[in-house]
Amino acid sequence: MEIDWKQLTAVATTAMEKAYAPYSNFPVGAAALTEDGRIISGCNVENASYGIGLCAECSLVSELFRTGGGKLVAFACVDGKGQPLMPCGRCRQLLFEHSADGMLLQTISGIKTINEVLPDAFGPKDLQK
Ligand code: THU
């Protein structure tokens, strides 16, 4: 499947504009393509109790399930300037759980696979051992 990274970046940027980030002033937007061709998105939603703020990826995963579930084949994340942003460590784990084999991410150092950004990941298969 050919990935339209420009489109994913544009959708992530539109999502970023809806972020609720009054504490960090660091809005984030995320967008992903699902195996069945949907494009989903999310933005960060912070809280006065700082530690419980939600990353953009959390909001994206909620939309994934709200719109029918499935696996992600491509993912892009942007900062407040619409520039590519690396998902934080926790969110790499979150994305891994819902990634199709070889899911691609747009990163600050080019297109990478989920395995490259989270090597030897702990995941659902480890619970079956
Ligand atoms: N943030 C995300 O939404 N995703 C990431 O992958 C990195 C960090 C948010 C969390 C917080 O609202 C703000 O960026 C500053 O850390």
Side-chain angles (χ1 to χ4, degrees):
M1 196 188 300
E2 193 57 38
I3 311 297
D4 187 344
W5 292 107
K6 272 197 179 148
Q7 183 192 23
L8 277 186
T9 302
V11 173
T13 302
T14 299
M16 176 275 292
E17 286 162 2
K18 295 283 196 299
Y20 176 69
Y23 306 107
S24 70
N25 288 314
F26 193 86
V28 177
L33 174 66
T34 64
E35 264 181 338
D36 63 358
R38 282 137 57 217
I39 290 185
I40 56 170
S41 61
C43 61
N44 55 336
V45 180
E46 296 184 347
N47 194 281
S49 177
Y50 301 158
I52 66 167
L54 304 174
C55 281
E57 293 86 339
C58 300
S59 149
L60 177 135
V61 168
S62 295
E63 183 166 315
L64 172 68
F65 282 87
R66 184 177 59 74
T67 59
K71 296 291 180 192
L72 306 174
V73 295
F75 172 86
C77 188
V78 299
D79 65 14
K81 293 179 176 154
Q83 295 301 308
L85 183 75
M86 282 310 285
C88 72
R90 177 185 182 277
C91 287
R92 294 181 204 189
Q93 181 72 31
L94 192 61
L95 292 168
F96 178 75
E97 179 85 14
H98 306 294
S99 59
D101 270 357
M103 183 186 89
L104 299 173
L105 298 91
Q106 176 174 260
T107 81
I108 55 169
S109 48
I111 307 301
K112 296 203 168 158
T113 67
I114 185 71
N115 305 88
E116 286 173 306
V117 303
L118 194 68
D120 299 327
F122 171 83
K125 288 196 179 81
D126 293 293
L127 296 177
Q128 290 161 13
K129 285 177 187 162

